[in-house]
Amino acid sequence: MGGRVLQNGRTSLYCKKTKRETSFENCMSCTLVNAETTQKAVEKASGLFDSMGFTVALGHLNEAHKKINIEHDYDGAIREATVSLESILTGVLERMGVEPTDKTVTGLYGDVKKSLNFGDDISAPHLKQVIGSTAGAVAGLAGMRNDLSDAHGKGLITPELEESYAELALNLSATMSTFVIRRYKEAHAKKID
């Protein structure tokens, strides 16, 4: 994505995929940039983050989306997506008054999972299996940030990243964050009743 300054001082965007000028709004909704499901996941998560006051996480989620769509900075997008989830986990623990035992993403997730009793209230074996797999997904996202993103030095050879991996990190972060917030809201509603 490149751009040029127009006579009115605004910047025009040039899309390298469609080979034409476009607007930021068109770019963010273009299915050539990312899947419609990704757009909807980010849109829904953004609304939820905003309504719950998770502004730091919202900023990181939007930055990850921008890094994929506008900047084509896939390692930066993975970093931002992971930081967004980390911010949600930290915020939920703060709201519950729980001191984290380990401030890594996986540690924070473990504390949230324990505090919100993920899976303790269900008997369906396949749902328990899915809930059990979420810790692995969070650990995998943290590993992607460590191995593939620009969060750490790379040495002489930088791994080549495809857009689909950055999009996976963004979707995983948005989905896990949404799940955590909804579980928090459900637990909070039970305390009020």
Side-chain angles (χ1 to χ4, degrees):
M1 189 69 57
R4 63 184 176 93
V5 179
L6 302 174
Q7 286 182 335
N8 63 6
R10 299 181 78 181
T11 302
S12 162
L13 296 176
Y14 181 79
C15 177
K16 293 177 183 175
K17 291 186 180 193
T18 61
K19 310 262 189 271
R20 62 182 171 86
E21 290 194 23
T22 188
S23 68
F24 179 75
E25 292 79 19
N26 286 339
C27 180
M28 295 306 280
S29 65
C30 176
T31 57
L32 294 175
V33 176
N34 58 32
E36 186 177 338
T37 53
T38 299
Q39 293 167 17
K40 287 185 180 186
V42 169
E43 182 181 303
K44 293 287 186 181
S46 293
L48 183 60
F49 291 11
D50 188 43
S51 72
M52 292 292 293
F54 289 108
T55 55
V56 173
L58 175 60
H60 288 290
L61 187 75
N62 288 334
E63 186 64 22
H65 199 217
K66 182 178 109 180
K67 285 189 176 297
I68 292 171
N69 292 336
I70 305 294
E71 299 171 10
H72 306 290
D73 176 7
Y74 305 135
D75 52 347
I78 291 171
R79 182 195 69 247
E80 291 292 335
T82 308
V83 172
S84 179
L85 175 59
E86 190 173 29
S87 297
I88 292 294
L89 297 170
T90 300
V92 166
L93 289 171
E94 286 174 0
R95 288 183 180 185
M96 292 188 305
V98 175
E99 188 65 33
T101 57
D102 178 0
K103 292 190 178 185
T104 63
V105 178
T106 53
L108 292 167
Y109 183 72
D111 290 339
V112 167
K113 185 177 177 191
K114 181 179 177 184
S115 297
L116 292 176
N117 304 315
F118 288 0
D120 293 350
D121 59 345
I122 54 175
S123 60
H126 290 99
L127 184 52
K128 275 197 175 295
Q129 181 183 8
V130 169
I131 296 299
S133 299
T134 59
V138 171
L141 183 61
M144 283 176 71
R145 175 180 64 185
N146 291 340
D147 296 343
L148 301 175
S149 83
D150 60 4
H152 300 288
K154 297 291 174 230
L156 298 175
I157 300 174
T158 303
E160 185 68 30
L161 273 179
E162 298 292 332
E163 183 177 2
S164 58
Y165 293 115
E167 194 171 7
L168 173 64
L170 177 60
N171 276 300
L172 183 56
S173 174
T175 299
M176 289 305 303
S177 294
T178 299
F179 176 67
V180 166
I181 293 170
R182 292 200 189 282
R183 289 296 296 166
Y184 168 75
K185 286 175 69 174
E186 290 166 354
H188 187 68
K190 287 178 185 174
K191 287 181 182 178
I192 293 173
D193 291 343

